[in-house]
Amino acid sequence: MKKIFGPAVFLMNRLSYSRKMMVISAIFILPLLFTLHLLISEMNDGIELAEKEQLGVAYIQPLRQIMQHLPQHRGMTNAHLKGAEGFKAKILGKRKLITEDIRAIDAVDARLGILLDTSARWNAIKKEWQALQKDAFNLYAEESFERHSALISDVLALVVHIAEQSKLIHDPDLDSFYLMDAIINKLPQVTENMGQALGLGAGIAANHNITTSDIIRMTLLLGKVGANLEAAMTGLQTAFDHSPQTREALENALNKALSTGMGFIILSRQKLMEAQTITIDPSAYFSEGTAAIKATYALYDATLIELDALLVVRISDITQRKYATVALVLAALLLAVYLFGGFYQSVCRAISNLKSSSNQLAEGVLTARATVESHDELGEVATAFNGMANHLREIINEVSTSATQLACAAMEMSATAGETSKGLGQQRDQTDQVATAITEMTATVREVARNAEEAAVAAKRADEEASNEIGRAHV
């Protein structure tokens, strides 16, 4: 463990508490901020994607009208060219609607054409429509039908292009993805195949005759209509299961589109493909097919509106989650900074308290104690310091008591020594007196000895003189 934490301990031992806090905070905050940046970037990408999808929806909304009116013009023109009466006035009225559609699409293309790269494709479609409108009444029915179908195919390709450029085809949510799939792929194929079947069937009804190739073609078209209707229903049911709100908005329109679409398929088979004699009025057949196509477009319109609503909700949800995430992270950061500040202040106060108490203790204030406010390791250090201070005070008190006792003993010894010194002084004085007396006695003895010596000398001298006197007397 020491080897593992050695570098960290080495670093921490060389930093003050403030720098330790800064290093630890940076280590935690920087990855958190980076993660927050990635999360916010992902949310912004989600918002940007949804907003771009909204641009696609905004372009498709006016384009949807011409998607409906061109197949109707094709069917009317085909019926007219095959001899059905009463369609020319309807054709001219439909052209006016298409002209209005073009104006609406021009307006949206002026706003979004650069962003979605649609202008060149849309201008080519307009050019082809102008040529077709000019030649329509002078063409053979088959040629008119084919040119109409090619033009409609270009319009549907433009829808797919818009979906690609606006990222609609990359929609990430299950419900909105299936709505997008219905709008871009399934329902346009339903209406186009139904429109072709309607145009072809109206011509058959006008001629009161159907060929084998017509039967084969009608079978293929109606089969595609049924398959695409079923696929659209399956996708939308999946969206319904995921979003009850979507079910409420679209279920009725889906049921009506299914019933009218299947009704048109049954009508076409019974009255055209399986009939011994074709007696159905072209206008009546055309009306039935038009009603089925209108029901499908009603579902299309409702789906388009619901898709836009889901995009609005998604943007709102992501925006709210983004702000909530930022607020939560900022609150967490502020709380962390606040707690780190409190921790730093707690450590600084504990250290300052310990330092002050240590200085007081060093100056001799034995009552100095560290205030214990925390229950962490520094609190344990403060408790240990206070225990040491108490023990030190006890030792000093014991030493002080011993010193007092020693001082008393020393004072007693000093008094005894004083008395001893005084006795010795008296003995010294007496000794000095004896010594003085002895000295005086010695001097006296010496004086007596000297006098005795002088007396002896005088006596000797007197004796010699006496001897001398005696000798002379004998003589």
Side-chain angles (χ1 to χ4, degrees), residues 1-14:
M1 294 297 289
K2 291 183 178 180
K3 291 183 179 180
I4 295 176
F5 291 101
V9 173
F10 178 82
L11 175 63
M12 292 294 106
N13 286 341
R14 279 153 182 78

Side-chain angles (χ1 to χ4, degrees), residues 17-334:
Y17 266 103
S18 60
R19 292 182 178 178
K20 289 177 184 178
M21 297 295 179
M22 292 176 62
V23 170
I24 295 174
S25 299
I27 291 174
F28 278 98
I29 291 175
L30 291 179
L32 180 61
L33 291 178
F34 179 71
T35 303
L36 177 63
H37 169 70
L38 293 179
L39 183 59
I40 296 302
S41 297
E42 182 179 354
M43 291 181 178
N44 286 335
D45 290 341
I47 293 173
E48 182 180 350
L49 175 62
E51 289 176 342
K52 198 162 187 179
E53 287 184 73
Q54 283 184 310
L55 298 181
V57 172
Y59 200 119
I60 291 173
Q61 283 175 341
L63 195 62
R64 204 288 294 165
Q65 300 300 322
I66 204 171
M67 289 168 57
Q68 180 178 2
H69 293 155
L70 280 177
Q72 290 174 347
H73 186 274
R74 175 183 57 191
M76 293 176 181
T77 303
N78 188 61
H80 173 73
L81 293 176
K82 286 191 175 184
E85 297 180 357
F87 278 99
K88 188 171 184 178
K90 294 180 179 179
I91 292 172
L92 296 177
K94 192 62 62 178
R95 288 181 179 181
K96 292 181 180 179
L97 293 178
I98 293 174
T99 300
E100 294 177 1
D101 297 340
I102 290 174
R103 290 196 190 100
I105 299 171
D106 283 339
V108 75
D109 188 74
R111 182 167 58 92
L112 302 176
I114 296 176
L115 291 173
L116 300 179
D117 189 27
T118 57
S119 297
R121 292 171 181 264
W122 171 238
N123 288 332
I125 290 172
K126 288 194 297 182
K127 185 177 180 180
E128 177 60 26
W129 162 247
Q130 291 170 358
L132 179 59
Q133 182 180 216
K134 181 179 179 181
D135 300 337
F137 290 135
N138 299 321
L139 298 173
Y140 290 108
E142 291 76 10
E143 183 182 0
S144 172
F145 194 91
E146 292 299 328
R147 286 181 62 176
H148 275 89
S149 297
L151 181 59
I152 294 168
S153 178
D154 290 340
V155 173
L156 296 181
L158 177 59
V159 172
V160 174
H161 176 76
I162 292 169
E164 291 173 348
Q165 293 299 313
S166 64
K167 308 299 182 183
L168 273 168
I169 60 174
H170 300 296
D171 192 279
D173 292 346
L174 187 64
D175 49 0
S176 53
F177 174 82
Y178 279 107
L179 296 188
M180 175 280 304
D181 185 57
I183 291 170
I184 304 302
N185 300 314
K186 301 300 189 299
L187 295 181
Q189 291 302 317
V190 170
T191 56
E192 171 55 11
N193 290 315
M194 194 179 292
Q196 289 190 31
L198 175 61
L200 181 60
I204 294 171
N207 290 332
H208 301 286
N209 183 49
I210 186 169
T211 64
T212 302
S213 62
D214 290 336
I215 293 175
I216 294 174
R217 191 174 178 185
M218 285 291 289
T219 301
L220 291 174
L221 289 173
L222 294 176
K224 290 180 181 180
V225 170
N228 284 310
L229 273 175
E230 184 177 355
M233 180 189 69
T234 302
L236 290 176
Q237 286 293 345
T238 303
F240 294 167
D241 294 338
H242 189 265
S243 174
Q245 177 183 352
T246 301
R247 177 188 296 275
E248 183 179 352
L250 300 180
E251 190 169 33
N252 291 335
L254 174 61
N255 291 334
K256 186 173 182 179
L258 288 172
S259 63
T260 55
M262 296 307 296
F264 174 72
I265 292 174
I266 294 172
L267 176 68
S268 299
R269 287 175 178 172
Q270 292 179 348
K271 299 297 183 179
L272 297 179
M273 300 166 61
E274 299 173 357
Q276 295 295 326
T277 303
I278 300 175
T279 59
I280 187 172
D281 181 68
S283 297
Y285 179 80
F286 194 85
S287 297
E288 290 290 334
T290 300
I293 292 175
K294 284 183 177 180
T296 304
Y297 273 115
L299 173 61
Y300 190 100
D301 292 338
T303 304
L304 198 62
I305 294 172
E306 181 64 16
L307 175 59
D308 188 62
L310 289 177
L311 292 175
V312 171
V313 170
R314 186 198 306 169
I315 292 172
S316 177
D317 289 344
I318 296 176
T319 302
Q320 290 179 3
R321 283 191 284 114
K322 180 177 73 171
Y323 289 144
T325 301
V326 172
L328 180 61
V329 171
L330 289 179
L333 287 176
L334 291 176

Side-chain angles (χ1 to χ4, degrees), residues 307-373:
L307 175 59
D308 188 62
L310 289 177
L311 292 175
V312 171
V313 170
R314 186 198 306 169
I315 292 172
S316 177
D317 289 344
I318 296 176
T319 302
Q320 290 179 3
R321 283 191 284 114
K322 180 177 73 171
Y323 289 144
T325 301
V326 172
L328 180 61
V329 171
L330 289 179
L333 287 176
L334 291 176
L335 180 60
V337 170
Y338 178 76
L339 293 178
F340 265 112
F343 176 66
Y344 177 71
Q345 291 294 324
S346 174
V347 170
C348 290
R349 288 178 185 177
I351 293 174
S352 176
N353 189 275
L354 284 171
K355 182 179 179 181
S356 175
S357 299
S358 298
N359 291 335
Q360 292 179 15
L361 193 62
E363 293 173 357
V365 182
L366 299 180
T367 58
R369 296 292 184 274
T371 303
V372 181
E373 296 180 351

Side-chain angles (χ1 to χ4, degrees), residues 368-370 380-394:
R369 296 292 184 274
E380 294 177 359
V381 171
T383 302
F385 174 85
N386 291 337
M388 179 198 68
N390 291 331
H391 188 61
L392 181 61
R393 182 179 181 182
E394 291 175 359

